[in-house]
């Protein structure tokens, strides 16, 4: 009886631990680091530099087999430029054949009519195209290739023509922060389904950018408030990425009073950076942010290691693509095992370990601060979010 009781307790503990492990909802896979552009926020390498290190086609199939057997996440094929990888459509077809929802993140410059048809046949359900300015002059200057803007816009049209939903990804830096309204107008004019605003992280898994391109914490706050306001007005899905305090802002504004539309007044002087403006959002409007479509994944702030992870081209597993702290390698250990047992992932899931003002903030379980930005600025991924201007009420 004693042995049986010990075994029962052990089994119950294992079941409890498995139950407490959060669902893996999104996997970003860096299929290759090869790319045909030279963007300042991403370290580009040539085909010759990476062909020997990236997962082979067979390794990719084995990874997808294990992933689909244990989880049902959105699998985002990224890079580099994933279309530089010759077997990318074989991989996408294999993944969609296993029942996974597959998305493709591309710069769009390699998408012609034939490529768009291949994307469709491979079962890819969403394609995101990077646009970092509303005009060719701005975008091409940032991306380092003349004609890349026109190619990206054309790619969106070709992808839409074969019946696949589209998304624009925009990385916010000093060069384009004041152009965000124009970028939103462009997205609406191009009839894309979503616009995702990426708030830059200074370091990451092959991510680099000069300090002078960073926008200030105060500007981040202004941008996120603007984005929330627009999310209430428009049907396009708007999302802030790598900006977990967006969810703090959302709740602050959504729970503070009647709606702006109901009061039929213009925003107070100073826009939505004032307490008066924050008070005009209703909770019902706030809930509009959470969309039902599978690609939205609007839940809470930092999701690194909590519902997302990043797989490098060599199989290294990171909490996200901007937090370069390896938790294992799928060549040596199944992803499911890493996801459930990694000490790094477990630390990220425990908000009581957060330090500084993040550790005492009343919004810590909603926001948690960007763990990658904390790591990039301090070397400690549990340190306080350095780009948040909010001062906690409780301590």
């Amino acid at each position: 009886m004693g042995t049986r009781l010990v075994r029962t307790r052990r089994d119950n503990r294992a079941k409890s631990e498995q139950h407490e492990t959060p669902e893996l909802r999104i996997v970003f896979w860096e299929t290759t680091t090869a790319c045909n552009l030279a963007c300042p926020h991403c370290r580009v390498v040539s085909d010759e530099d990476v062909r020997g290190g990236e997962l082979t086609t067979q390794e990719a199939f084995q990874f997808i087999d294990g992933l689909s057997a244990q989880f049902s996440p959105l699998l985002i094929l990224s890079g580099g430029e994933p279309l530089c990888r010759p077997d990318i459509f074989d991989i996408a077809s294999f993944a969609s054949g296993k029942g996974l929802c597959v998305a493709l993140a591309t710069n769009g410059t390699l998408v012609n009519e034939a490529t768009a048809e291949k994307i469709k046949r491979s079962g890819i359900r969403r394609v995101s195209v990077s646009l970092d300015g509303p005009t060719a002059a701005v975008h091409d200057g940032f991306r380092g290739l003349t004609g890349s803007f026109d190619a990206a816009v054309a790619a969106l049209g070709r992808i839409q023509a074969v019946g696949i939903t589209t998304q624009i990804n925009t990385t916010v830096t000093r060069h384009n922060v004041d152009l965000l309204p124009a970028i939103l107008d462009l997205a609406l004019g191009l009839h894309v389904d979503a616009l995702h605003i990426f708030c830059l992280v200074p370091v990451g898994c092959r991510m680099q950018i000069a300090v002078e391109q960073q926008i200030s914490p105060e500007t981040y706050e202004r941008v996120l408030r603007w984005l929330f306001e627009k999310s209430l007005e428009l049907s396009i899905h708007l999302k802030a990425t790598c900006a977990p305090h967006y969810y703090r802002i959302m709740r602050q504004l959504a729970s503070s009073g009647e709606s702006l539309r109901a009061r039929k007044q213009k925003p107070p002087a100073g826009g939505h950076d004032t307490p008066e403006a924050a008070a005009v959002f209703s909770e019902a409007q706030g809930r509009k942010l959470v969309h039902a479509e599978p690609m939205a994944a609007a839940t809470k702030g930092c999701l690194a290691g909590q519902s997302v992870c990043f797989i490098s081209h060599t199989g290294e597993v990171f909490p996200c693509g901007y937090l370069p702290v390896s938790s294992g390698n799928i060549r040596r250990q199944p992803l499911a095992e890493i996801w459930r047992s990694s000490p790094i992932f477990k630390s990220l899931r425990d908000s009581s370990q957060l330090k500084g003002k993040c550790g005492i903030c009343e919004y810590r379980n909603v926001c948690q601060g960007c763990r990658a930005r904390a790591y990039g600025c301090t070397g400690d991924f549990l340190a306080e979010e350095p780009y948040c201007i909010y001062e906690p009420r409780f301590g």
Side-chain angles (χ1 to χ4, degrees):
M1 288 295 292
T3 302
R4 185 180 303 169
L5 180 59
V6 170
R7 186 182 299 117
T8 300
R9 288 176 176 171
R10 186 187 301 120
D11 292 344
N12 288 340
R13 184 167 61 249
K15 289 178 182 178
S16 175
E17 289 175 353
Q18 184 171 359
H19 178 72
E20 292 171 1
T21 301
E23 177 186 2
L24 178 56
R25 298 182 59 195
I26 306 176
V27 174
F28 296 88
W29 177 26
E30 178 192 56
T31 58
T32 182
T33 54
C35 189
N36 59 322
L37 299 184
C39 308
H41 63 292
C42 181
R43 187 180 74 191
V44 177
V45 291
S46 68
D47 274 345
E48 291 76 13
D49 291 331
V50 300
R51 286 274 85 89
E54 67 188 24
L55 298 179
T56 66
T57 304
Q58 191 57 42
E59 286 177 320
F61 289 170
Q62 291 171 354
F63 157 57
I64 292 168
D65 253 334
L67 180 67
S68 61
Q70 295 288 326
F71 308 104
S72 299
L74 167 64
L75 176 62
I76 300 178
L77 306 177
S78 68
E81 170 50 55
L83 294 179
C84 286
R85 183 164 173 147
D87 60 355
I88 194 65
F89 297 118
D90 294 329
I91 289 170
S93 296
F94 187 83
S96 58
K98 290 289 181 178
L100 295 178
C101 181
V102 183
L104 178 73
T106 175
N107 61 46
T109 59
L110 301 179
V111 179
N112 54 29
E113 287 83 357
T115 302
E117 289 291 345
K118 290 178 181 178
I119 292 172
K120 175 69 173 181
R121 289 197 299 270
S122 70
I124 289 171
R125 294 174 54 186
R126 165 70 61 89
V127 175
S128 65
V129 174
S130 298
L131 275 175
D132 294 306
T135 65
V138 176
H139 176 85
D140 291 0
F142 187 72
R143 291 276 160 177
L145 178 67
T146 301
S148 59
F149 176 85
D150 292 338
V153 170
L156 287 166
R158 290 165 183 153
I159 293 161
Q160 291 169 349
V162 298
I164 298 176
T165 64
T166 53
Q167 170 182 316
I168 288 175
N169 291 344
T170 297
T171 300
V172 182
T173 64
R174 288 188 180 182
H175 93 283
N176 66 4
V177 65
D178 294 326
L179 301 175
L180 288 177
I183 293 172
L184 175 56
D185 287 342
L186 175 65
L188 294 170
L190 293 174
H191 306 292
V192 298
D193 298 275
L195 171 62
H196 287 200
I197 301 297
F198 284 74
C199 292
L200 198 64
V201 179
V203 296
C205 309
R206 274 164 295 286
M207 305 298 291
Q208 302 180 74
I209 194 157
V211 173
E212 59 265 22
Q213 283 291 339
Q214 296 284 322
I215 61 177
S216 69
E218 292 77 16
T219 303
Y220 271 125
E221 191 87 359
R222 174 174 60 83
V223 166
L224 297 178
R225 287 172 178 250
W226 169 82
L227 188 68
F228 177 78
E229 177 187 351
K230 292 301 177 182
S231 77
L232 305 180
E233 301 173 3
L234 303 171
S235 58
I236 185 175
H237 177 231
L238 301 175
K239 182 181 178 185
T241 300
C242 297
H245 32 305
Y246 181 64
Y247 292 85
R248 180 258 303 165
I249 291 170
M250 181 189 78
R251 281 156 178 79
Q252 282 180 293
L253 301 185
S255 63
S256 298
E258 59 182 298
S259 73
L260 182 68
R261 195 172 295 123
R263 288 176 58 164
K264 296 182 179 179
Q265 66 178 39
K266 294 181 180 179
H272 288 281
D273 286 334
T274 63
E276 291 83 2
V280 300
F281 291 89
S282 70
E283 188 167 352
Q285 284 177 307
R287 285 197 296 268
K288 280 185 63 181
L289 182 68
V290 183
H291 293 253
E293 58 135 328
M295 302 291 176
T299 52
K300 66 172 188 175
C302 186
L303 301 177
Q306 301 195 56
S307 60
V308 309
C309 71
F310 175 91
I311 313 296
S312 81
H313 71 292
T314 59
E316 292 293 316
V317 181
F318 300 95
C320 78
Y322 299 91
L323 181 50
V325 181
S326 179
S327 299
N329 191 296
I330 61 173
R331 281 174 161 153
R332 299 187 298 268
Q333 189 179 12
L335 178 60
E337 186 177 318
I338 297 171
W339 179 255
R340 292 175 180 134
S341 64
S342 163
I344 293 171
F345 286 179
K346 288 183 177 181
S347 293
L348 290 165
R349 294 163 188 165
D350 182 2
S351 63
S352 70
Q353 294 193 37
L354 295 177
K355 302 173 183 177
K357 68 180 183 180
C358 285
I360 62 172
C361 183
E362 65 270 31
Y363 291 103
R364 72 179 184 186
N365 290 320
V366 169
C367 167
Q368 282 201 273
C370 177
R371 299 299 96 218
R373 199 172 287 118
Y375 181 83
C377 293
T378 70
D380 181 357
F381 60 77
L382 295 173
E384 69 179 44
E385 157 72 68
Y387 274 67
C388 178
I389 65 172
Y390 180 71
E391 292 299 328
R393 294 179 184 176
F394 310 115

